[in-house]
Amino acid sequence: MPELVRYTVQDDVAIVTIDNPPVNALSPGVPEGIDAGVARAAADRAVKAVVLIGAGSTFIAGADIKVFGTIPNRDVSVDRSHRVHALLRRIEDCPKPVVCAIHGTALGGGLEFAMACHYRVAVPGAKVGQPEVLLGIIPGAGGTQRLPRLCGVATAVELCTLGQHIGAKRALAEGIVDHIVEGDLLAGAIAFALAKAAAGEVRKVREQEAKIADYGVAAAAIEAARASLKKTARGAHAPFAAIDAIAAGVQGGFDAGSAREIEIFADCVLSAESRNLIRLFFAEREAAKVPGVPKETATLEIRTAAVVGAGTMGGGIAMNYANAGIPVLLKESDQAALDRGLATIRKNYDNSAAKGKMTPEQVERVMSLIHPALTYEGFDQVDIVVEAVFENLDLKKSVFADLGRVTKPDCILASNTSTLDIDQFAHSSGRPASVIGHHFFSPANVMKLMEIVRGRESSNQTIATSLKLSKKLNKVGVVVGNCFGFVANRMLAYYMREAYLLLEEGASVPQIDKVMTGFGMPVGPFGMQDIAGIDVGARIRQYLRTIGATRAEGPESPVPDWLYEMGRYGQKTGAGWYRYEAGSRTPIPDPLIEELALKAAAERGIDRQPVADDEILSRIMVALANEGANVLEEHIAIRAGDIDVIYAYGFGYPRHRGGPMAYADSLGLTQVLAKVSEYRARLGDHWRPAPLLDRLAAEGNSFYGE
Ligand code: 3HC
Ligand code: NAI
């Protein structure tokens, strides 16, 4: 078995190298190896100092996340944590300077090991962070205690509650890192360590009190963070727990704080929130693996791109390419539309600059990568084209026919269609192997999801290239099958159907939205539609009627179409399911909706009655999971985890609840099936249990098969 931690000596400095690919996680054997290495260095008379460094592409990316699932109970968690805390104290108590050398990322337990060292040096591209809350836990190896002692309470609270990584430059400014090494990291770390040894300096972070000494400042930062989290946490518990552990150390000192951290960590690691978030972490990585598309599939290099259509989506997609440094041609059908599209892009970038997220130079650089076009000139040079014209089958088919002619033979031809049949575009292009769906979500430059829609003839190379490209574009790519609406929108139709029907039965628009935001959705179904545009769904329904289809089985509420006919498209027209004052996005309930709901209810012979919040949540969630089961059965989604990743990144489904399929599993599929049967008896035959749900419930199984 390869050695997880190596010990060598160079220039009188012991080098303890962690070598546990791919990310040097703290798997069993790694902490023990570091402990032994530091102890050996302390005893080695030929050694003046110690450098702790990672082999490969990164320092330690954290605890081994797989291990959390093996913690059977609280006592085991507490016992393990005590041992890790003691180990880190031994490192900190080493009489010789211990310098941590960081490249890649020092995350979670990785940063905690780094902070147990006396000093930290890093390359300019290194990142550090305490992302534990994103896994439903808190830093469990002293991070909530040592971090505030290095950077103060406000920054520690920020890092531990948001889970974001920060770069070496900020880490230096905050006091987390002591020195940036511009050249060779190991050589720089050795030189730094020897200088500290010569000066006889070791600095134990646990003894540093200066940055937390002002109790008033610390308490204010803690209270401000708690207040802000109340607005943003959407029901997640871990960020509050992280603050509690930090507060305990600020008030009671390092030892009391550490003891509290250990207890809180144990509660978190055994919680449903943590189980859901960890499942989602691995589901996201699993989504990058597509059965039948081998890992070693050769991919095409995407150096240049083109986008057809500079509307809402095309503009955002072009920004994604420019942000990734890929030059992109942006084609429109006329100059006015092109000018409008470019002006919107410029406005978006200027807004980012105004918020300090970009410098004016960065804005100019990305703008210079977007090349406006009114013809296909230059399309013969690009490696990929993304089509984002109106959602119209004939128009898109004609665009694909053009693209098949004007692009080079191996150019990938992607469509951003949200519903239509990729295979028809593939056929029109004459090059079906290169055709695929790249379904971005609105706003395309912000939302992280990219549904990669696999056509019947999409080649492995086209799929593998799309997956690789999604990462480069800073998106999460999930490969899905080709059907009306694919995974995200096909399931959403059932979510929306239930919301409409609940409205007709007696629930109100604000009530339904409040139930769903109370559950953790960023916005309720009606508020979401006011943002996306009621016209978009209405046009899709119009198209479906021409082919005798509907979006979701069951009664189709006329209310959204009435709003469309009234020109109430949502926020963009100042009214939709809500009213909006000029220039404001605050939804104001509108009595008109009640009138329309009454009218629709009367047409269907429904006597409107108050609807309980529980019924709203259950109906909407069960509808979503039941259609999810159909999507799985038809292999439109490869795994339940893929659906949950899609909902987390496409619609902001609360991650701590795992996703619609994990949520159904948590209810128990027997219970979900019982609900479907109850609704069928009460509400009609459109509530048909998905065969997969039936089968899994009978087997006592779950969507995840855990
Ligand atoms: N434990 C176990 N496996 C891990 C891991 C970890 N901490 N981090 C990454 N991996 C695995 C991934 O599952 C993936 O495996 P696969 O190839 O079999 O699918 C592989 O490493 C590569 O990961 P990515 O595909 O994510 O690689 P990237 O280069 O895109 O990203 C990364 C690297 C930024 C390190 C990212 O993997 C990451 O964010 N990892 C999690 C970091 C984290 O949350 N650390 C805190 C852990 S909790 C902790 O430390 C508790 C402590 O306080 C006690
Ligand atoms: P949009 O109406 O804002 O933009 C479409 C643009 O395409 C217009 O600017 C139009 O002038 C241009 N266009 C039409 N024919 C063209 C041609 N032959 N050559 C060049 N440009 C042409 O529409 P939007 O919302 O951007 O939608 C585009 C596509 O993205 C549709 O397929 C839609 O279903 C899909 N989509 C939309 C989402 C949304 O929330 N708006 C979300 C995800 C996908």
Side-chain angles (χ1 to χ4, degrees), residues 37 55 137 313 341 449:
I137 54 176
M313 294 305 288
L449 179 63

Side-chain angles (χ1 to χ4, degrees), residues 308-314 331-334 337 340 376 387-392 395-396 399 415-419 439-442 489 532 536:
V308 185
T312 310
M313 294 305 288
K331 180 190 176 298
E332 253 298 341
S333 47
D334 64 65
R340 255 195 324 271
Y376 286 120
E387 166 279 309
V389 301
F390 302 126
E391 187 78 341
N392 176 302
L395 171 64
K396 285 186 191 275
V399 170
S415 172
N416 183 49
T417 178
S418 39
T419 52
H439 182 208
F440 293 86
F441 286 67
S442 183
N489 285 335
V536 177

Side-chain angles (χ1 to χ4, degrees), residues 495 498-504 506-518 524-526 578 611 613 616-617 620:
Y495 177 93
E498 229 27 51
Y500 298 147
L501 296 184
L502 284 158
L503 171 66
E504 287 188 9
S508 72
V509 160
Q511 182 195 8
I512 296 168
D513 276 358
K514 189 155 174 266
V515 168
M516 298 317 295
T517 52
F526 296 104
Y578 295 93
V611 182
D613 289 355
I616 293 173
L617 182 65
I620 290 181

Side-chain angles (χ1 to χ4, degrees), residues 324-564:
I326 301 172
V328 55
L329 289 168
L330 181 58
K331 180 190 176 298
E332 253 298 341
S333 47
D334 64 65
Q335 190 65 48
L338 190 55
D339 291 345
R340 255 195 324 271
L342 285 168
T344 305
I345 293 173
R346 160 73 68 183
K347 196 173 90 203
N348 286 338
Y349 280 133
D350 284 346
N351 283 343
S352 296
K355 288 183 195 149
K357 291 182 183 163
M358 291 176 94
T359 62
E361 296 72 38
Q362 283 169 327
V363 171
E364 291 319 312
R365 192 160 62 242
V366 283
M367 282 306 294
S368 75
L369 290 173
I370 300 174
H371 303 285
L374 288 172
T375 67
Y376 286 120
E377 199 183 324
F379 273 57
D380 55 340
Q381 300 296 318
V382 300
D383 303 308
I384 185 167
V385 182
V386 187
E387 166 279 309
V389 301
F390 302 126
E391 187 78 341
N392 176 302
L393 187 66
D394 291 333
L395 171 64
K396 285 186 191 275
K397 279 164 72 175
S398 88
V399 170
F400 271 85
D402 290 345
L403 294 176
R405 266 195 318 275
V406 300
T407 58
K408 61 187 180 186
D410 63 352
C411 175
I412 291 186
L413 305 178
S415 172
N416 183 49
T417 178
S418 39
T419 52
L420 299 172
D421 181 3
I422 296 294
D423 289 331
Q424 298 211 36
F425 310 151
H427 180 76
S428 303
S429 75
R431 280 201 273 116
S434 300
V435 174
I436 194 153
H438 283 184
H439 182 208
F440 293 86
F441 286 67
S442 183
N445 53 316
V446 176
M447 297 302 287
K448 294 262 295 181
L449 179 63
M450 179 171 148
E451 271 188 323
I452 299 173
V453 190
R454 177 184 199 158
R456 203 168 33 233
E457 294 179 64
S458 307
S459 70
N460 278 357
Q461 186 176 58
T462 303
I463 296 167
T465 305
S466 299
L467 271 167
K468 193 169 157 204
L469 176 67
S470 65
K471 228 175 164 175
K472 190 158 184 195
L473 298 181
N474 197 20
K475 302 289 165 189
V476 176
V478 183
V479 175
V480 300
N482 184 24
C483 69
F484 195 87
F486 320 124
V487 172
N489 285 335
R490 171 170 161 175
M491 286 174 63
L492 191 73
Y494 285 80
Y495 177 93
M496 291 307 303
R497 175 201 72 188
E498 229 27 51
Y500 298 147
L501 296 184
L502 284 158
L503 171 66
E504 287 188 9
E505 287 165 35
S508 72
V509 160
Q511 182 195 8
I512 296 168
D513 276 358
K514 189 155 174 266
V515 168
M516 298 317 295
T517 52
F519 178 76
M521 298 299 291
V523 59
F526 296 104
M528 178 175 77
Q529 214 173 57
D530 272 0
I531 295 168
I534 289 170
D535 52 322
V536 177
R539 287 205 197 95
I540 292 172
R541 284 190 296 278
Q542 279 172 355
Y543 163 72
L544 284 174
R545 283 181 202 121
T546 67
I547 59 168
T550 53
R551 290 207 73 172
E553 270 181 84
E556 200 169 17
S557 171
V559 181
D561 288 333
W562 290 342
L563 293 177
Y564 173 66

Side-chain angles (χ1 to χ4, degrees), residues 643-699:
I643 296 179
D644 287 345
V645 171
I646 286 172
Y647 265 73
Y649 286 107
F651 299 117
Y653 190 100
R655 297 176 69 89
H656 64 280
R657 299 211 188 251
M661 308 315 277
Y663 182 69
D665 278 356
S666 73
L667 297 175
L669 295 193
T670 320
Q671 171 71 10
V672 175
L673 179 63
K675 283 283 177 200
V676 176
S677 306
E678 180 205 322
Y679 299 148
R680 186 176 197 175
R682 180 148 60 90
L683 301 162
D685 257 357
H686 57 279
W687 271 101
R688 229 191 332 271
L692 181 67
L693 174 62
D694 233 344
R695 211 164 52 243
L696 291 176
E699 291 165 6

